[in-house]
Amino acid sequence: MVVYGTELKSRLLLGTAQYPSPTVLAEAIAASGAEVITVSLRREGPEGGAFRDLIAASGCRLLPNTAGCHSVTEAVTTARMARELFGTDWIKLEVIGHADTLQPDPFALVEAARILCAEGFEVFPYTTEDLILGEKLVEAGCRVLMPWGAPIGTGQGLRNIDGLRSMRAHFPDLPLVIDAGIGAPSQAAQAMELGFDAVLLNTAVAKALDPVGMARAFGRAVAAGRAAHEAGLMPRRDMAAASTPILGMAELG
Amino acid sequence: MVVYGTELKSRLLLGTAQYPSPTVLAEAIAASGAEVITVSLRREGPEGGAFRDLIAASGCRLLPNTAGCHSVTEAVTTARMARELFGTDWIKLEVIGHADTLQPDPFALVEAARILCAEGFEVFPYTTEDLILGEKLVEAGCRVLMPWGAPIGTGQGLRNIDGLRSMRAHFPDLPLVIDAGIGAPSQAAQAMELGFDAVLLNTAVAKALDPVGMARAFGRAVAAGRAAHEAGLMPRRDMAAASTPILGMAELG
Amino acid sequence: MVVYGTELKSRLLLGTAQYPSPTVLAEAIAASGAEVITVSLRREGPEGGAFRDLIAASGCRLLPNTAGCHSVTEAVTTARMARELFGTDWIKLEVIGHADTLQPDPFALVEAARILCAEGFEVFPYTTEDLILGEKLVEAGCRVLMPWGAPIGTGQGLRNIDGLRSMRAHFPDLPLVIDAGIGAPSQAAQAMELGFDAVLLNTAVAKALDPVGMARAFGRAVAAGRAAHEAGLMPRRDMAAASTPILGMAELG
Amino acid sequence: MVVYGTELKSRLLLGTAQYPSPTVLAEAIAASGAEVITVSLRREGPEGGAFRDLIAASGCRLLPNTAGCHSVTEAVTTARMARELFGTDWIKLEVIGHADTLQPDPFALVEAARILCAEGFEVFPYTTEDLILGEKLVEAGCRVLMPWGAPIGTGQGLRNIDGLRSMRAHFPDLPLVIDAGIGAPSQAAQAMELGFDAVLLNTAVAKALDPVGMARAFGRAVAAGRAAHEAGLMPRRDMAAASTPILGMAELG
């Protein structure tokens, strides 16, 4: 998988919030095999230094995000500060439209993407499965799209599978990353089997009873789903078909 | 996982029918990490010797099956021949009740299980999610149950999830192996996340475009699903919840 | 719909338990349009007389049931007493196998059906979607089957749609009535659209906030689903298709 | 249900395209009980006169649509012509964004809605379940929203139920009409049970084997779903609960 000219071997991207402790976070990152982790500006407070050291030690590439931003101005300002602070053009662009569902605001998202792309950012937009919204983001300069599976933190999995399938078909050559809503490794594997390029998640690992074990499970499941996509899944059938062909039972005399 | 006193590390059991070639079969077994493979009597024909060498080379434990048997007599006779031929008390007991769905015949299944258990067989019955049928099989002497996910060869996955969940709850300490109907690694992972002990499959690997790649994918997915079950999945939520808690955006002033 | 030689115009059969009051029950029966109602022996206690008057006033045909029976003996004894008390050969045969799921016991069910059919009862067996079990019941003499949609009282609707579809295909000419698990009129309509002949329910009406209004809703939904089945549903499509064909927009010049 | 000051008793709105003949259309309208039918400008060609007579005879209120419009200009021009031709301020606003899915273009839709509302139109926008898009349409002056159930003509039903449920909760007092994707009466009933105010459909009736019978079925199903919503559906349960409470079986002694 190549995004903005960078090749990634792991197709699991990991968030860094809500972990029980920095140690657990560091171990979870290692266990997941992730090469990219998302970070938010706000972690850079009084204890920011220790957090930054931990991140550096992980060897992962940083993808700063604009989590919690509800307007174009907030998101653009946050992105600029993140670029300065983290020294990267990558930005995961979130412009939240609604406090209950945390769904993206399609209108503000496109506007913010236009501004940031024009300023040389490499934008990873958190979006819906809306095809027209996706096209506008591509027109704005985005070279990857990150549609939600379900609202952030719900663990519902892929709640509009037909819509996501349409999206994959509509953008056959664009990297598409499922971002948000994944609650179980089986759901991550399903996303990969449908042909999505990667999965980004946070809560399902951070809030597991054993985050490190869960991180490892997700890493394996994403690899399994990708391998299955490449190996060519059998078609679903309506009628049963004997897996062991019967050649007559005469030998049972 | 311990069945009939044997500890198994891999929770994926693999069928051996329908592969494009013996070489592909051998490579798929190796890639899957399976420790148990099912074989049918019928493979022991003129070319049986080569097949048996291949199986021996795999290092796997054999689980002979009674695939294609439609009556108690056929199944019991086949089981006895299999014991003699393969030198094992293990038998995967299939008594097919209906040619279109290949569903087990609950009545004949219990009768055959009683006979075979009394003769010292260690029976792995292919069954439905019916709880009463399961109880009868346990009464007959079975120490493992293998409920279907969906009809054999359909790749529909777990088509009665609520029923399978009830079964898991009803037999908390008995090894339960999902057998039949699995079409994709995500489905195998889901079965493991629900707490099933293992997955047995054949068509989904044998009929993949690349069976070896798919075998590897299933091996990983089963391990991922089990690890997730042990690591404690997050609860599903109806409402969104920010994974990155917002502490105020004052710093963006 | 003809069962045991009786033609029924309404395809909704109604249970009579759990209503807030006899008056509400009477009004709900009237609003539903049901011609058949199920009754249990146990209602024939001290207040049985009033209940029987109410039933008589409804003009409905009675279908006594063996609810709560857990063994062949209990069920057969209850059926005999019901025949004497209610003066009908009709019996809804329930032999519960498991207290938590209230699923039928396939083995006891067939045995009880054999005994009762031999005694001239016209048996309506509460069964699962298992095809072999269905065949055994038909062999025993049953001329109608009543598979569950989901466990009694759950309101989950049709939880194994593929299995029920197989059952409809397997018994094309036999009256099949979905019995148990229906929680909403849309689910009853769906059962009818799939080609089932009728629906039997109780809790969804009795436990609604307004049982009379809900009874009317179910009556309409069952009729709608049947009419739709007869009118020939459109096939489901994967791709969108304009319902308003476009003939060129030149007129907008 | 009141939309733009007009009270409607029937909650089924019907399209008028794709019928086998004008006679069938007229009979289907009558059988459905619909009080509002949608018409497209283009039917007003050479044979427009006869069509208009048929519509007038139906006694239904007309809701002209902008079907097939792909841009703000097309949609606005079509709406203005429709107002002149049909003599009504009502307009069903469709601005198609994508030829394969026929999904609305969120951006053009809002822009067209703003223009038309400012010109005094009473706009019925065909939209997605996106909450922010819905808010923009309300800001533009729309007093009703018509979210899709699934892409036009697919008959998939409600393919993002969680999203539609969120929409209902987000706009508790606004009339919401499911428009597009409904293929069966059970799906229409389900939409009503979820609390939607009405359903608009076309293909499922026009393309049924018997459109008149299907129109009647949909009329009943919509009424049933609404009645169920008002009567208070029972909650879904995970565990079975006997509908016939057991008071002891001592009487069977």
Side-chain angles (χ1 to χ4, degrees):
Chain A
M1 178 195 186
V2 176
V3 274
Y4 292 114
T6 295
E7 188 172 356
L8 300 177
K9 283 174 191 165
S10 169
R11 289 164 181 274
L12 175 59
L13 293 76
L14 210 60
T16 56
Q18 296 184 290
Y19 282 83
S21 75
T23 310
V24 172
L25 167 58
E27 289 175 16
I29 293 172
S32 74
E35 297 171 73
V36 174
I37 54 178
T38 61
V39 292
S40 86
L41 206 55
R42 187 163 337 103
R43 298 300 290 269
E44 292 295 318
E47 37 168 347
F51 180 72
R52 195 187 291 199
D53 290 348
L54 181 157
I55 296 300
S58 77
C60 287
R61 173 142 190 180
L62 292 195
L63 174 57
N65 65 44
T66 64
C69 294
H70 282 256
S71 71
V72 174
T73 306
E74 269 186 340
V76 168
T77 308
T78 302
R80 287 174 186 153
M81 290 173 68
R83 171 148 71 176
E84 200 166 325
L85 190 62
F86 295 110
T88 174
D89 289 334
W90 281 19
I91 189 77
K92 180 186 166 195
L93 180 59
E94 293 187 28
V95 191
I96 298 305
H98 182 244
D100 284 355
T101 64
L102 296 175
Q103 79 150 78
D105 177 331
F107 301 87
L109 180 62
V110 170
E111 198 178 329
R114 278 190 194 127
I115 294 170
L116 293 173
C117 289
E119 295 184 6
F121 281 92
E122 295 179 325
V123 177
F124 294 67
Y126 165 59
T127 182
T128 69
E129 69 275 21
D130 192 293
L131 302 185
I132 309 304
L133 173 53
E135 288 179 355
K136 298 276 184 195
L137 291 167
V138 171
E139 283 168 26
C142 298
R143 294 292 163 261
V144 58
L145 296 177
M146 306 216 294
W148 64 351
I152 296 173
T154 59
Q156 294 177 1
L158 308 183
R159 74 177 192 178
N160 185 357
I161 288 182
D162 292 314
L164 288 168
R165 209 178 259 131
S166 288
M167 192 179 194
R168 179 68 284 180
H170 191 63
F171 298 103
D173 301 320
L174 195 70
L176 296 180
V177 180
I178 296 291
D179 175 13
I182 298 292
S186 59
Q187 299 165 354
Q190 183 188 29
M192 300 305 294
E193 289 166 3
L194 288 172
F196 285 86
D197 295 279
V199 166
L200 192 163
L201 51 88
N202 185 350
T203 307
V205 168
K207 291 295 190 188
L209 290 183
D210 169 12
V212 178
M214 192 60 84
R216 189 176 298 113
F218 269 105
R220 282 177 181 166
V222 166
R226 178 63 189 181
H229 180 68
E230 288 172 349
L233 289 156
M234 66 174 281
R236 186 189 149 108
R237 296 168 48 101
D238 281 342
M239 296 286 286
S243 57
T244 311
I246 305 310
L247 310 172
M249 302 300 286
E251 67 269 48
L252 298 182
Chain B
M1 178 195 186
V2 176
V3 272
Y4 290 114
T6 296
E7 187 173 356
L8 301 176
K9 283 176 191 163
S10 169
R11 289 164 181 272
L12 175 60
L13 291 76
L14 210 60
T16 56
Q18 294 183 293
Y19 282 82
S21 77
T23 309
V24 171
L25 168 57
E27 289 176 15
I29 293 171
S32 75
E35 296 172 73
V36 175
I37 55 179
T38 62
V39 292
S40 86
L41 206 56
R42 191 164 330 108
R43 299 299 292 268
E44 292 297 316
E47 39 168 347
F51 180 72
R52 196 187 293 198
D53 291 347
L54 182 155
I55 295 299
S58 76
C60 286
R61 173 143 192 178
L62 292 194
L63 174 57
N65 65 45
T66 65
C69 294
H70 282 256
S71 70
V72 174
T73 306
E74 269 187 341
V76 168
T77 308
T78 302
R80 288 174 186 151
M81 291 174 68
R83 171 149 70 173
E84 200 167 325
L85 191 62
F86 296 110
T88 174
D89 290 334
W90 280 19
I91 189 74
K92 180 186 166 192
L93 179 59
E94 294 186 29
V95 192
I96 299 304
H98 182 245
D100 283 356
T101 63
L102 297 174
Q103 80 150 78
D105 178 329
F107 302 87
L109 181 62
V110 170
E111 199 179 329
R114 278 188 194 127
I115 295 170
L116 294 173
C117 288
E119 294 184 7
F121 281 92
E122 295 180 325
V123 178
F124 295 65
Y126 164 60
T127 184
T128 68
E129 70 274 21
D130 192 293
L131 302 186
I132 308 303
L133 173 52
E135 287 178 356
K136 298 276 185 196
L137 291 166
V138 170
E139 283 167 25
C142 298
R143 295 291 164 261
V144 59
L145 296 176
M146 306 216 293
W148 63 351
I152 296 174
T154 59
Q156 292 176 3
L158 307 183
R159 75 177 190 178
N160 186 355
I161 287 181
D162 291 314
L164 289 168
R165 207 177 262 134
S166 288
M167 192 179 195
R168 180 67 284 182
H170 192 62
F171 298 103
D173 300 320
L174 196 71
L176 296 181
V177 180
I178 296 291
D179 176 12
I182 297 293
S186 58
Q187 299 165 356
Q190 183 189 28
M192 300 305 294
E193 288 165 3
L194 288 172
F196 285 87
D197 294 279
V199 167
L200 191 162
L201 51 89
N202 186 350
T203 308
V205 167
K207 291 296 191 188
L209 291 183
D210 169 12
V212 179
M214 192 60 83
R216 189 176 298 113
F218 269 104
R220 281 177 181 165
V222 167
R226 178 66 189 180
H229 180 68
E230 289 172 349
L233 290 157
M234 65 175 280
R236 185 189 151 109
R237 296 167 49 99
D238 281 342
M239 296 287 285
S243 57
T244 311
I246 304 311
L247 309 173
M249 303 299 285
E251 65 270 47
L252 298 181
Chain C
M1 178 196 186
V2 177
V3 273
Y4 291 114
T6 295
E7 188 173 355
L8 300 176
K9 283 175 190 164
S10 169
R11 289 164 180 275
L12 176 59
L13 293 76
L14 211 59
T16 56
Q18 295 184 292
Y19 282 83
S21 76
T23 309
V24 171
L25 167 58
E27 289 176 15
I29 293 172
S32 74
E35 297 172 72
V36 174
I37 55 178
T38 61
V39 291
S40 86
L41 206 56
R42 194 163 327 107
R43 297 301 290 267
E44 292 296 318
E47 39 167 348
F51 180 72
R52 196 188 292 197
D53 292 348
L54 182 155
I55 295 299
S58 77
C60 286
R61 174 143 191 177
L62 292 193
L63 175 56
N65 65 44
T66 65
C69 295
H70 282 257
S71 72
V72 174
T73 306
E74 268 187 341
V76 168
T77 308
T78 302
R80 288 174 187 153
M81 290 173 68
R83 171 149 70 173
E84 200 167 325
L85 190 64
F86 296 110
T88 175
D89 290 335
W90 281 19
I91 189 75
K92 180 187 166 195
L93 180 58
E94 294 186 29
V95 192
I96 299 304
H98 182 245
D100 283 355
T101 64
L102 297 174
Q103 80 149 79
D105 177 330
F107 301 86
L109 180 62
V110 169
E111 199 179 330
R114 278 189 193 126
I115 294 170
L116 294 173
C117 288
E119 295 184 7
F121 281 92
E122 297 180 324
V123 177
F124 294 66
Y126 164 60
T127 182
T128 69
E129 70 274 21
D130 192 294
L131 302 185
I132 308 305
L133 173 53
E135 287 178 355
K136 299 276 183 195
L137 291 167
V138 170
E139 284 168 27
C142 298
R143 295 292 164 259
V144 58
L145 295 177
M146 307 216 293
W148 63 353
I152 296 173
T154 59
Q156 293 177 2
L158 309 182
R159 73 177 192 179
N160 186 355
I161 287 181
D162 292 313
L164 289 168
R165 208 179 259 132
S166 289
M167 192 179 195
R168 179 69 283 182
H170 192 62
F171 298 103
D173 301 320
L174 196 70
L176 296 181
V177 180
I178 296 290
D179 176 13
I182 298 292
S186 59
Q187 298 165 355
Q190 183 188 29
M192 301 305 295
E193 288 166 3
L194 288 171
F196 285 87
D197 294 279
V199 166
L200 192 162
L201 51 88
N202 185 351
T203 307
V205 168
K207 290 296 191 188
L209 290 183
D210 170 12
V212 179
M214 192 60 84
R216 189 175 298 113
F218 268 105
R220 282 178 181 164
V222 166
R226 179 63 189 181
H229 180 68
E230 290 173 347
L233 290 157
M234 66 174 281
R236 186 188 149 107
R237 297 167 49 99
D238 281 342
M239 295 287 286
S243 57
T244 310
I246 305 311
L247 310 173
M249 301 301 286
E251 67 269 47
L252 297 182
Chain D
M1 179 197 185
V2 177
V3 271
Y4 291 114
T6 296
E7 188 174 353
L8 300 176
K9 283 174 192 165
S10 169
R11 289 165 180 275
L12 175 59
L13 293 76
L14 211 59
T16 56
Q18 295 184 292
Y19 282 82
S21 76
T23 309
V24 171
L25 168 57
E27 288 176 17
I29 294 172
S32 74
E35 297 171 73
V36 174
I37 55 179
T38 61
V39 292
S40 87
L41 205 55
R42 172 170 348 99
R43 297 300 291 268
E44 293 294 319
E47 38 168 348
F51 181 71
R52 195 188 293 198
D53 291 349
L54 182 156
I55 295 300
S58 76
C60 287
R61 174 140 192 181
L62 292 194
L63 174 57
N65 65 43
T66 64
C69 294
H70 282 256
S71 70
V72 173
T73 306
E74 268 187 341
V76 168
T77 308
T78 301
R80 288 173 186 153
M81 290 173 69
R83 171 149 70 175
E84 199 166 326
L85 191 62
F86 295 111
T88 174
D89 289 334
W90 281 18
I91 189 76
K92 180 186 166 196
L93 179 60
E94 293 186 29
V95 191
I96 299 305
H98 182 246
D100 283 355
T101 63
L102 297 174
Q103 79 149 79
D105 178 329
F107 302 86
L109 180 62
V110 169
E111 197 178 330
R114 276 189 194 129
I115 295 170
L116 293 173
C117 289
E119 295 183 6
F121 281 92
E122 295 180 325
V123 177
F124 294 66
Y126 165 60
T127 182
T128 68
E129 70 275 19
D130 192 294
L131 302 185
I132 309 304
L133 174 53
E135 287 179 354
K136 298 276 185 195
L137 291 167
V138 170
E139 284 167 25
C142 299
R143 294 292 163 262
V144 59
L145 296 177
M146 306 216 294
W148 64 352
I152 295 173
T154 58
Q156 293 177 1
L158 308 183
R159 74 177 191 178
N160 185 356
I161 288 181
D162 291 314
L164 289 168
R165 208 178 260 132
S166 288
M167 193 179 193
R168 178 70 284 181
H170 191 62
F171 297 103
D173 301 320
L174 196 71
L176 296 181
V177 180
I178 295 290
D179 177 12
I182 298 292
S186 59
Q187 298 165 355
Q190 183 187 30
M192 300 305 294
E193 289 166 1
L194 288 172
F196 285 87
D197 294 279
V199 167
L200 192 162
L201 51 87
N202 186 352
T203 306
V205 168
K207 290 296 191 189
L209 292 183
D210 169 12
V212 179
M214 193 60 84
R216 190 175 299 113
F218 269 105
R220 281 177 180 164
V222 166
R226 178 64 189 181
H229 179 68
E230 289 172 348
L233 290 157
M234 66 174 281
R236 185 189 151 108
R237 296 168 49 100
D238 282 341
M239 296 287 284
S243 57
T244 310
I246 306 311
L247 309 172
M249 303 299 287
E251 65 270 46
L252 297 182

